[in-house]
Amino acid sequence: PTTVANPPAEPDPPHVVFIAGDEEYRSEESLPMFASILSRDHGIRTTVLYSLDEEGRIDPNALENIPGTEILATADMLVMFTRFRALPDEQLAPILEFAKSGKPVVGFRTATHAFRYPDEDLEHASLNRDWPRELFGQRWITHHGHFDDGKSPLTHVDPVKDSTHPILRGVSPFDAYSWLYHVEGGEDALSGEPTPLAIGTTLKSYHAERHDRFPASNPVAWIYEHDSNSGRPSRVFFTTLGHPSDLRSTSCRRLALPGN
């Protein structure tokens, strides 16, 4: 099903579309909560789209079906938390068009690997690597290891010192349960000219002997602008956080949903 929050009283509120589609971090639970907060506290119209099975039930393991994406044609912002989807063209096209529109986009964690099409599918294979790097600033590379999943923190997060960006309002250092994603350092760099907002330091790493290649500290949240078809830069906020236990932290919730 598609979740649509109760319409707020404002006659023409902005419309934010959330796409939940990962089989690892329960985005089908967290994104509707974010949507409800935006609707309740900020008067924003929200829609949540899900991966559905053949009978129309929410199923994160349904990798090839997220119906309803045509609603993006009139949306004002897109929030993506998908992982290794291989959507049919009619569902994929509205996402790609929105990404080119110049409207703002937010990405969570696995959106660095939002899609996975067969390498021999030359029409779509670039979406596996090039598309997330162009849109969000990076593709999937590696991480420092998911030890004791959800039982203990694996990354310490510090807001960038002296930053006055409003996204960081009320955000203090906190420990996250998301294992640290590698996005820059060694042979890798974020694309464009991103502005890091928070830095994560791994508390446990199976790359411990290769920190020259995969540093122990990496950005976990940044803002980024890229070119769009509209002639104006598209603004992006991305965070590699997103483990459900991260949201126990007030600071993490404030980082993920500014204003709360």
Side-chain angles (χ1 to χ4, degrees):
T2 298
T3 300
V4 180
N6 292 328
E10 184 181 341
D12 189 23
H15 182 202
V16 179
V17 174
F18 294 77
I19 301 182
D22 88 283
E23 70 282 24
E24 191 170 11
Y25 300 107
R26 300 203 292 275
S27 61
E28 74 280 0
E29 297 179 15
S30 59
L31 291 192
M33 294 179 187
F34 286 150
S36 294
I37 292 170
L38 285 180
S39 178
R40 182 193 68 198
D41 297 345
H42 300 284
I44 293 173
R45 179 186 170 208
T46 59
T47 301
V48 186
L49 306 178
Y50 303 92
S51 291
L52 304 183
D53 66 15
E54 293 180 355
E55 297 181 6
R57 297 173 298 195
I58 295 173
D59 180 2
N61 291 296
L63 305 181
E64 300 178 355
N65 186 36
I66 301 179
T69 58
E70 65 275 3
I71 201 170
L72 285 168
T74 58
D76 297 294
M77 187 169 82
L78 167 64
V79 181
M80 287 191 68
F81 197 157
T82 61
R83 179 180 187 270
F84 290 149
R85 305 291 110 167
L87 302 180
D89 285 343
E90 63 270 20
Q91 296 179 4
L92 174 65
I95 298 174
L96 302 186
E97 286 302 312
F98 190 94
K100 297 176 183 177
S101 70
K103 295 178 181 179
V105 180
V106 171
F108 281 91
R109 197 158 174 83
T110 56
T112 61
H113 41 297
F115 301 113
R116 182 163 65 182
Y117 291 90
D119 288 340
E120 58 270 21
D121 181 355
L122 300 181
E123 182 180 356
H124 297 100
S126 65
L127 297 174
N128 301 350
R129 296 171 295 275
D130 299 340
W131 187 83
R133 182 165 168 78
E134 292 170 1
L135 177 59
F136 296 121
Q138 193 50 282
R139 62 179 178 84
W140 161 249
I141 302 172
T142 188
H143 59 66
H144 285 268
H146 45 87
F147 309 92
D148 301 322
D149 185 6
K151 296 179 181 178
S152 58
L154 292 178
T155 301
H156 178 73
V157 178
D158 287 299
V160 169
K161 187 177 180 181
D162 298 328
S163 175
T164 59
H165 198 282
I167 286 178
L168 293 178
R169 188 177 298 124
V171 177
S172 302
F174 63 95
D175 286 339
Y177 291 78
S178 291
W179 37 100
L180 182 66
Y181 274 15
H182 171 79
V183 297
E184 72 172 8
E187 301 171 5
D188 305 298
L190 291 167
S191 66
E193 298 181 357
T195 301
L197 298 179
I199 304 297
T201 300
T202 187
L203 302 176
K204 195 173 183 180
S205 172
Y206 61 38
H207 288 308
E209 296 181 358
R210 303 187 64 200
H211 282 173
D212 57 333
R213 174 65 183 90
F214 304 114
S217 294
N218 251 232
V220 295
W222 59 87
I223 53 175
Y224 172 70
E225 291 186 353
H226 67 90
D227 294 334
S228 71
N229 288 347
S230 69
R232 62 185 178 187
S234 179
R235 295 181 298 164
V236 172
F237 169 77
F238 193 88
T239 178
T240 61
L241 302 174
H243 191 286
S245 295
D246 291 347
L247 301 178
R248 299 174 187 172
S249 165
T250 300
S251 284
C252 186
R253 294 195 301 272
R254 285 175 172 162
L255 179 67
L257 194 64
N260 291 278

